[in-house]
């Protein structure tokens, strides 16, 4: 997992930008307006996201339209898969334990 991706996503404004770009590509001005940031602030955050490979810009006349790149999110998903396996195993064990407890309760009720 690329540490620069994690670092870039850790900042709340950048995460909000990513959330906005999930909907559709946007210009710097649109992002700034929707997040109530000044345009230089939005540009700074977009530069960090771009350097981390999370977004890419396409020139359209004098505007730059930003969109998400899928690759970093695939890498993040692959990285998280290892942790999903761990949690699924733990949930399976918990489910087995709860079923065992439920069986004990049922037998106890039948005895009473």
């Amino acid at each position: 997992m690329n540490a620069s991706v994690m670092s870039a996503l850790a900042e709340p404004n950048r995460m909000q930008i990513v959330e906005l770009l999930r909907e559709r590509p946007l210009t710097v001005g649109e992002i700034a307006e929707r997040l109530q940031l000044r345009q230089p602030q939005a540009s700074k955050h977009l530069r960090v996201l771009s350097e981390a490979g999370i977004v890419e810009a396409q020139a359209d006349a004098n505007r730059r339209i930003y969109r998400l790149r899928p690759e970093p999110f695939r890498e993040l998903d692959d990285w998280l898969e290892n942790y999903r396996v761990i949690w699924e195993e733990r949930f399976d064990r918990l489910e087995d334990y709860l079923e065992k407890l439920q069986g004990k309760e049922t037998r106890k009720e039948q005895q009473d």
Side-chain angles (χ1 to χ4, degrees), residues 63-81:
R63 303 180 321 159
R64 293 174 61 84
I65 300 172
Y66 287 86
R67 67 178 29 93
L68 293 177
R69 295 183 64 245
E71 297 84 3
F73 297 99
R74 284 189 201 118
E75 289 175 20
L76 182 59
D77 188 52
D78 291 345
W79 181 76
L80 287 171
E81 182 61 29

Side-chain angles (χ1 to χ4, degrees), residues 97-108 110:
Y97 176 72
L98 292 174
E99 285 175 3
K100 186 188 285 185
L101 283 179
Q102 224 172 14
K104 286 180 182 178
E105 281 295 315
T106 303
R107 284 193 301 269
K108 186 177 177 186
Q110 290 173 351

Side-chain angles (χ1 to χ4, degrees), residues 4-5 7-9 11 13-15 17-18 21 26-28 31 37-57 64-67 69:
S4 65
V5 169
S7 177
L9 293 174
E11 202 283 332
N13 286 313
R14 291 194 285 267
M15 192 60 150
I17 290 170
V18 168
L21 293 176
L26 297 167
T27 64
V28 178
I31 292 167
L37 297 172
R38 294 184 329 231
Q39 194 157 335
Q41 285 178 299
S43 293
K44 177 184 167 191
H45 290 304
L46 285 162
R47 184 172 52 252
V48 172
L49 291 169
S50 181
E51 289 170 359
I54 297 169
V55 300
E56 62 187 1
R64 293 174 61 84
I65 300 172
Y66 287 86
R67 67 178 29 93
R69 295 183 64 245

